[in-house]
């Protein structure tokens, strides 16, 4: 089955008609003003568009899509533009319009009894977290881009982050959605129900669809009781195998909820302490591997520091780990988290980095990293693997920095060849080529290479059923036959 490829460039009359829907103040055609919408965080894709539209409500979104569908104009939904696979950036043809959701940031319903919050898709994640806190509740989704990314983008990418271990990814944190379909119809699925077994789950279909099946305009989110004061510890280990043993030890021994179990190698710490302000080596001697652990009690009036101290003391006695620092204050916990959260940023000054967001079964992480490192050394001697990420989720950000002193563009030219090899290994080990960032444009061809024909056929059928004219984020996740 082929996807239809009927989209075309809008005429100036159509551009005026799109502008009239949102009003001139919210329609951006000036090249300079469009820039923030056309480049992404990694500067990997630079797109072109005739117009950026910033609708202020669901009805305006509906009018935009109806007009685009009638006239076969491609529409790229964009939230906070923090996506890491190029899904939110239009192609270089300049034919597609951008629908930016930032003004859809209203609070629609607050339910402190059922612990739900219904908000517009354009609310930033930080704003959602703050609103939940004002209700004395927790919205647990947390990631380094939270000040900019929007809840609609989080849902469209099914974002993960650092609390998946305890609370699940975004899919597990949503009860209902409002979605504008390709032809402009509005699906009101803003239900607050925890139980709803009425046929195919449309909500789950739109979560993770990266703007290719509909535009999410609002969501009903699940909130949680505020946990007790957490404990944060940075642990040093000789091998990554020790991280697996420690993960099991902490999961079994801790009386508290394990909310994060992150890992990174010493080279990551070197990069961070060299390039990120106000950071320093936490231990007096280097160790090959580190784990950053967070636990929390179930009640807001309790703390879990003494428990983690006992659990880690036992791990040192059993020689699972070599050293540990337990944060004594919120500021110290924040400093430890800075070491983990600064890794991506700290790789930039080290030159080109070939990145992979993959997952494998948790117990396979050590062997995956060993095998992938061997592969890299053979393919590109001197390249510096910086594997880090969410150990407890089996999610490795297998980033590889260029050899010291190498030419950046020559190194990055090997991206495809290296990624093929890494992804082949991931598939061989029963893993996934995208753990939390999605497919977008960057992994589209890898998805086509590695997903089973049956799965691809089903995905194409769903796309054709919901977006028969192929106007929604064309060429993302699934290829369109020509003209991308
Ligand atoms: C420093 C940094 C750290 C990050 N850490 C993590 C992490 O730990 N875990 C993680 O999962 N991700 C992480 N990301 C990636 C990114 O933040 C997430 O993918 C986030 O969910 C994207 O949200 P956004 O609003 O920026 O979406 P955008 O980047 O604007 O869009 C992403 C995709 O969603 C679609 N989309 C956006 N809004 C809508 C909507 N309302 N309706 C339909 N489709 C829509 C777009 O078309 C695009 O395909 C990180 C990014 C950065 C820059």
């Amino acid at each position: 089955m082929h996807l239809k490829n009927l989209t075309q460039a809008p005429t100036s009359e159509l551009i005026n008609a799109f502008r009239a829907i949102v009003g001139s103040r919210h329609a951006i055609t000036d090249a300079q003003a469009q820039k923030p919408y056309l480049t992404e965080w990694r500067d990997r894709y630079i797109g072109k568009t005739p117009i950026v539209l910033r609708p202020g409500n669901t009805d305006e979104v509906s009018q935009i899509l109806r007009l685009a569908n009638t006239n076969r104009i491609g529409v790229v939904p964009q939230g906070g533009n923090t996506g890491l696979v190029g899904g939110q950036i239009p192609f270089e043809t300049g034919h597609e319009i951008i629908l930016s959701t930032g003004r859809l940031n209203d609070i629609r319903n607050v339910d402190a009894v059922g612990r739900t919050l219904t908000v517009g898709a354009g609310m930033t994640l930080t704003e959602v977290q703050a609103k939940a806190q004002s209700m004395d509740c927790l919205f647990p989704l947390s990631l380094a881009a939270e000040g900019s990314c929007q809840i609609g983008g989080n849902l469209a990418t099914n974002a993960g982050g650092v609390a998946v271990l305890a609370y699940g990814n975004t899919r597990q944190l949503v009860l209902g959605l409002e979605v504008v379909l390709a032809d402009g119809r509005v699906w009101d699925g803003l239900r607050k129900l925890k139980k709803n077994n009425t046929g195919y789950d449309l909500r789950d279909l739109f979560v993770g669809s990266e703007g290719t099946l509909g535009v999410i305009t609002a969501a009903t989110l699940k909130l949680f009781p505020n946990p007790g004061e957490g404990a944060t510890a940075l642990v040093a280990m000789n091998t990554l195998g020790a991280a697996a043993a420690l993960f099991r030890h902490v999961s079994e021994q801790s009386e508290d909820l394990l909310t994060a179990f992150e890992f990174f190698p010493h080279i990551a710490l070197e990069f961070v302490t060299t390039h990120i302000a106000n950071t320093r080596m936490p231990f007096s001697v280097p160790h090959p591997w580190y784990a950053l652990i967070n636990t929390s009690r179930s009640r807001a009036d309790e703390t879990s520091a003494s428990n983690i101290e006992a659990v880690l003391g036992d791990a040192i006695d059993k020689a699972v780990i070599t050293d540990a620092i337990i944060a004594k204050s919120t500021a110290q916990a924040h400093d430890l988290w800075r070491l983990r959260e600064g890794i991506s940023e700290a790789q930039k000054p080290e030159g080109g980095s070939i990145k992979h967001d993959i997952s494998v079964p948790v117990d396979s992480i050590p062997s995956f990293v060993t095998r992938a490192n061997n592969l890299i050394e053979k393919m590109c001697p001197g390249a510096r693997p910086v594997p880090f990420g969410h150990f407890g989720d089996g999610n490795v950000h297998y980033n590889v920095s260029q050899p010291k002193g190498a030419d950046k563009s020559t190194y990055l030219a090997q991206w495809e060849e290296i990624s093929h090899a890494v992804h082949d290994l991931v598939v061989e080990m029963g893993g996934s080529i995208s753990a939390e960032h999605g497919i977008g444009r960057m992994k589209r061809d890898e998805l086509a290479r590695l997903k089973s024909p049956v799965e691809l056929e089903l995905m194409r059928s769903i796309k054709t059923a919901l977006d028969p004219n192929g106007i929604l984020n064309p060429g993302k996740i699934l290829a369109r036959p020509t003209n991308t």
Side-chain angles (χ1 to χ4, degrees):
M1 177 191 292
H2 282 290
L3 295 173
K4 284 188 187 169
N5 178 35
L6 300 174
T7 58
Q8 53 192 8
T11 58
S12 51
E13 286 79 16
L14 261 179
I15 291 174
N16 286 338
F18 280 122
R19 183 188 287 114
I21 294 171
V22 296
S24 294
R25 268 185 62 209
H26 304 298
I28 306 169
T29 48
D30 173 70
Q32 200 56 30
Q34 282 187 351
K35 264 193 174 165
Y37 300 89
L38 295 174
T39 50
E40 38 89 66
W41 198 73
R42 289 177 179 165
D43 289 331
R44 206 168 141 77
Y45 302 105
I46 299 175
K48 267 180 87 176
T49 186
I51 193 161
V52 177
L53 300 170
R54 305 189 70 240
N57 55 49
T58 304
D59 183 53
E60 289 181 4
V61 175
S62 164
Q63 289 182 52
I64 292 167
L65 291 192
R66 199 174 313 126
L67 188 62
N69 194 47
T70 309
N71 294 281
R72 312 292 193 255
I73 307 301
V75 179
V76 180
Q78 190 179 100
N81 190 12
T82 68
L84 295 175
V85 287
Q88 71 281 16
I89 302 294
F91 280 90
E92 296 79 3
T93 53
H95 291 175
E96 296 154 0
I97 62 171
I98 293 180
L99 191 161
S100 172
T101 52
R103 291 179 61 228
L104 305 173
N105 57 358
D106 51 329
I107 294 174
R108 298 207 189 170
N109 186 267
V110 171
D111 177 353
V113 176
R115 284 203 204 96
T116 67
L117 174 62
T118 302
V119 295
M123 230 190 195
T124 66
L125 178 51
T126 301
E127 288 167 343
V128 171
Q129 292 164 342
K131 184 65 200 169
Q133 278 306 322
S134 76
M135 298 163 64
D136 197 21
C137 288
L138 173 76
F139 184 66
L141 184 67
S142 175
L143 43 109
E146 59 200 22
S148 307
C149 64
Q150 298 172 6
I151 197 67
N154 300 144
L155 286 157
T157 56
N158 186 25
V162 294
V164 173
L165 197 54
Y167 297 99
N169 47 24
T170 313
R171 189 185 298 284
Q172 274 84 52
L173 304 176
V174 62
L175 293 171
L177 290 181
E178 178 185 83
V179 179
V180 181
L181 305 177
D183 60 7
R185 280 177 299 160
V186 179
W187 173 55
D188 180 0
L190 281 178
R191 301 187 181 98
K192 298 200 283 185
L193 305 175
K194 293 202 169 138
K195 291 186 165 184
N196 176 20
N197 275 351
T198 49
Y200 304 139
D201 196 325
L202 299 176
R203 177 197 61 198
D204 268 2
L205 192 57
F206 290 108
V207 175
S209 65
E210 299 182 49
T212 64
L213 300 181
V215 176
I216 298 168
T217 43
T220 297
L221 305 169
K222 228 191 257 182
L223 307 182
F224 294 80
N226 250 330
E229 197 181 308
T232 300
L234 183 68
V235 172
M237 301 161 299
N238 281 330
T239 65
L240 194 51
L246 179 67
F247 179 62
R248 185 170 173 193
H249 177 78
V250 178
S251 306
E252 285 173 1
Q253 302 296 320
S254 174
E255 292 167 11
D256 301 323
L257 187 64
L258 182 57
T259 46
F261 193 103
E262 304 285 302
F263 78 103
F264 50 91
H266 187 67
I267 188 173
L269 209 48
E270 277 177 352
F271 285 5
V272 171
T273 52
T274 306
H275 301 298
I276 305 290
N278 303 321
T279 58
R280 61 181 181 82
M281 283 290 174
F283 295 101
S284 52
V285 292
H287 300 268
W289 290 97
Y290 304 93
L292 185 61
I293 299 172
N294 233 81
T295 60
S296 62
R297 288 257 144 142
S298 55
R299 286 170 42 129
D301 56 352
E302 294 178 337
T303 74
S304 61
S306 56
N307 180 246
I308 196 75
E309 204 170 323
V311 171
L312 294 181
D314 191 34
I316 290 181
D317 291 345
K318 289 180 173 145
V320 176
I321 61 175
T322 45
D323 207 348
I325 296 168
I326 296 169
K328 297 272 183 292
S329 63
T330 310
Q332 206 184 349
H334 180 76
D335 288 348
L336 294 180
W337 271 102
R338 256 177 94 76
L339 298 174
R340 159 65 183 86
E341 286 179 343
I343 297 174
S344 294
E345 191 65 41
Q347 274 195 283
K348 284 187 178 175
E350 292 288 332
S353 171
I354 296 177
K355 297 175 189 291
H356 308 89
D357 161 45
I358 65 95
S359 64
V360 289
V362 177
D363 64 345
S364 303
I365 291 179
S367 57
F368 166 76
V369 169
T370 305
R371 290 180 65 185
N373 287 356
N374 291 339
L375 207 66
I376 297 298
E377 187 51 29
K378 267 194 209 126
M379 294 181 79
C380 184
R384 296 166 295 166
V386 188
F388 68 97
H390 318 292
F391 194 96
D393 311 332
N395 183 184
V396 184
H397 295 305
Y398 190 75
N399 293 358
V400 188
S401 281
Q402 67 178 55
K404 271 187 184 160
D407 175 62
K408 183 175 171 179
S409 49
T410 311
Y411 173 69
L412 290 179
Q414 300 169 83
W415 189 305
E416 211 168 296
E417 192 194 348
I418 287 181
S419 280
H420 271 206
V422 171
H423 289 159
D424 284 347
L425 176 63
V426 167
V427 171
E428 186 199 318
M429 297 185 74
S432 164
I433 64 163
S434 179
E436 60 178 6
H437 295 163
I439 298 298
R441 178 173 175 180
M442 193 170 100
K443 292 188 177 174
R444 182 188 78 178
D445 296 343
E446 282 294 80
L447 187 85
R449 189 172 75 84
L450 296 167
K451 243 206 195 314
S452 80
V454 172
E455 280 177 291
L456 283 171
E457 198 57 36
L458 288 172
M459 286 172 70
R460 289 194 192 102
S461 304
I462 291 167
K463 170 73 176 170
T464 307
L466 269 82
D467 181 18
N469 294 327
I471 63 149
L472 282 171
N473 221 353
K476 308 291 170 51
I477 301 185
L478 297 168
R480 47 184 179 181
T482 53
N483 174 22
T484 49

